[in-house]
Amino acid sequence: MLEIKNIDVHFGMIHALKGVSFTVNDGDIVTLIGANGAGKKTTLRTVSGLKKPTNGEILLDGKNITHTSAQDIVRMGISHVPEGRRVFPTMTVLENLELGAFLRRDKDGIARDLKMVFERFPILADRRKQAAGTLSGGEQQMLAIGRALMSRPKILFLDEPSMGLAPLLVQEIFNIIKDINSSGTTILLVEQNASMALQIADYAYVIETGSIVLSGTGAELMQSEDIKKAYLGG
């Protein structure tokens, strides 16, 4: 479904991504793991159209989207939940969710998807008239995911969904990710909690200093001694 081919990204003189290549197959959960500053966030932002590569290609369903605008990439089926959730704090929960469907015109479909989000996240239904900025961190993360789902994505990008959450909420968020995937949405996950990410990933890539250095199934990387030492505390 998604193919990244030899992507280079620069920030001025800094070579942030160096020939990054990977694929995301339809229906999979794929995770990128790596240390802070390795290039995970830059990779998501580049594929989402928020940062333009200096070399390489990005293909979605075989179509080259390398120089496509961010809004058109959303129209084509990629939705991005950014690190830090980025909800609109003074707007209500309902207004945030409606913004997720901003590019859509199918009113009946939007209504059905809003109902689906409220069924998946009952706390959001209870607080639909509440300002998003007054929600807890976990509730804001649910809102950010719900808002992204309102665009009806083929692929959902999740950037550090567990950041700043209590352990019980982390488990809940990962259960939600698995449920979304089982409902038919492909997922590309960036996550500092490598153990949790690898447990649910069909396939995983390790990125270090802007380059992919290792790949394999989630189960294979969980058993790698190098991964255990570097990312799993083993």
Side-chain angles (χ1 to χ4, degrees):
M1 180 179 282
L2 181 66
E3 188 172 6
I4 306 342
K5 293 183 173 183
N6 298 312
I7 288 295
D8 288 325
V9 173
H10 290 78
F11 293 92
M13 297 296 292
I14 299 172
H15 197 173
L17 296 183
K18 305 163 187 172
V20 167
S21 297
F22 64 92
T23 58
V24 179
N25 291 325
D26 187 10
D28 279 358
I29 297 177
V30 173
T31 188
L32 296 177
I33 64 172
N36 283 332
K40 305 185 302 296
K41 184 187 309 298
T42 298
T43 300
L44 290 191
R45 289 177 58 83
T46 301
V47 181
S48 295
L50 299 172
K51 176 69 180 175
K52 296 304 178 186
T54 49
N55 188 51
E57 290 183 326
I58 303 166
L59 304 178
L60 178 64
D61 289 329
K63 183 175 181 179
N64 192 323
I65 64 167
T66 311
H67 301 293
T68 303
S69 67
Q71 61 265 33
D72 285 338
I73 287 174
V74 174
R75 285 191 179 95
M76 296 170 72
I78 294 177
S79 193
H80 187 161
V81 180
E83 179 186 346
R85 300 175 276 277
R86 304 288 185 90
V87 299
F88 296 95
T90 61
M91 301 178 72
T92 67
V93 167
L94 179 59
E95 288 168 338
N96 270 266
L97 293 173
E98 289 172 339
L99 277 174
F102 180 77
L103 295 176
R104 296 174 59 182
R105 296 294 178 267
D106 55 322
K107 291 184 178 180
D108 290 342
I110 292 169
R112 286 194 298 271
D113 287 346
L114 185 61
K115 180 181 178 182
M116 174 271 295
V117 169
F118 282 147
E119 289 173 349
R120 178 168 273 137
F121 305 110
I123 190 65
L124 299 183
D126 294 341
R127 303 191 178 185
R128 67 182 70 197
K129 295 182 180 180
Q130 187 171 325
T134 66
L135 300 179
S136 70
E139 291 163 353
Q140 288 188 22
Q141 187 63 67
M142 293 176 193
L143 177 57
I145 293 172
R147 181 180 60 190
L149 291 175
M150 288 299 296
S151 71
R152 195 174 283 180
K154 297 177 184 177
I155 305 182
L156 181 64
F157 289 2
L158 296 168
D159 190 355
E160 306 287 3
S162 76
M163 180 175 286
L165 302 183
L168 283 177
L169 281 175
V170 170
Q171 184 62 60
E172 184 175 357
I173 289 296
F174 275 86
N175 288 340
I176 289 167
I177 293 169
K178 289 190 292 183
D179 181 58
I180 291 169
N181 177 249
S182 67
S183 298
T185 303
T186 304
I187 290 174
L188 178 58
L189 170 68
V190 161
E191 177 57 55
Q192 280 287 335
N193 190 330
S195 177
M196 293 292 291
L198 292 174
Q199 285 179 45
I200 69 169
D202 295 291
Y203 208 80
Y205 296 86
V206 181
I207 185 167
E208 293 181 0
T209 59
S211 299
I212 301 291
V213 297
L214 191 64
S215 66
T217 67
E220 288 170 346
L221 294 194
M222 284 284 287
Q223 298 304 313
S224 164
E225 292 302 322
D226 289 340
I227 297 300
K228 289 179 181 179
K229 291 176 183 178
Y231 301 107
L232 304 180

